[in-house]
Amino acid sequence: LAAATVWKAPAIWMLGMTNVTFGLASAYVNGFVNGSFASPSPVLGENSIGTLLAILSAVAAGCSLVFGRVAAPQGKAGLLVLGSCCFVAIPAAVLAVPPGPENQYWGVSLISLYVLMGVGRGVYESVNKSVMADFFPGALSAGAFATGMMQQAAAFFLCFVLQGVVQRTWLLAMLVLIPSAVAPAVLLRAFWMRRQHLSRQVHSLAEFDSAILNT
């Protein structure tokens, strides 16, 4: 019920693009990349998956600390776009140079996908949550965060389901890439709408103060 209180606000769905793309990319890396690329790799192999995920988590933790400190209010939009670009780069790289037996599944270079996911996760864990609190302060924050968790979980589940249905590597990559590619424009639109709203509030307050002074 708390989540439903913010569902009428367009911003909750626009900002939700970060939650959705994180969920899709996370499931893609944890499911498809681990199983189809890392496990059969003659250089890495199934025993390396724990190390790869540890690298991902370490990058995410480091980026989360850095981004949380440097993200001034006016710079948060740029960092969200950075996260989206990381989520775009993962399937885009797979489409550009598909990992396979002929290139040893990228060998050690496959780690780059986990680093990209770590950077994107760092944005999700720090900047994204800060932005949600900015847009939905006070009593609205509970509903906003609950909705965000719902969006992320739904996308994560959907991507895992699709991995069992979609047999073509390129098609699965496209299903992750397209929402991630659209996300920056939607996120920037949300910030623009908020600036317009705040500007109107300030303008109205200035007119009110002027009227008081002139009476």
Side-chain angles (χ1 to χ4, degrees), residues 22-112:
F22 170 73
L24 292 173
S26 182
Y28 183 72
V29 170
N30 282 279
F32 189 74
V33 174
N34 280 348
S36 300
F37 304 148
S39 291
S41 170
V43 178
L44 297 174
E46 187 175 355
N47 292 334
S48 70
I49 291 178
T51 301
L52 293 170
L53 294 179
I55 292 172
L56 189 160
S57 296
V59 171
C63 289
S64 182
L65 287 173
V66 173
F67 294 157
R69 293 187 178 186
V70 304
Q74 63 273 20
K76 292 179 182 179
L79 287 172
L80 286 183
V81 170
L82 171 64
S84 296
C85 289
C86 289
F87 299 145
V88 167
I90 294 170
V94 171
L95 287 169
V97 185
E102 65 281 359
N103 57 18
Q104 294 189 317
Y105 297 91
W106 288 11
V108 178
S109 298
L110 191 67
I111 296 174
S112 62

Side-chain angles (χ1 to χ4, degrees), residues 202-214:
V202 171
H203 183 67
S204 298
L205 183 60
E207 289 183 340
F208 177 76
D209 289 343
S210 178
I212 293 295
L213 292 174
N214 291 328

Side-chain angles (χ1 to χ4, degrees), residues 6-7 10-27 80 83-84 87 117 120-121 123-133 136 143-159 176 179-180 183 186-187:
V6 298
W7 287 0
I12 196 65
W13 305 108
M14 298 172 79
L15 295 176
M17 289 299 294
T18 298
N19 302 317
V20 169
T21 53
F22 170 73
L24 292 173
S26 182
L80 286 183
S84 296
F87 299 145
M117 188 64 216
R121 178 176 165 184
V123 172
Y124 170 79
E125 295 287 356
S126 58
V127 182
N128 179 58
K129 293 181 179 180
S130 175
V131 169
M132 294 290 282
F136 299 95
F145 282 110
T147 301
M149 292 179 64
M150 178 193 71
Q151 292 166 338
Q152 184 270 330
F156 188 86
F157 173 76
L158 176 62
C159 189
V176 178
S180 301
V186 178
L187 292 168

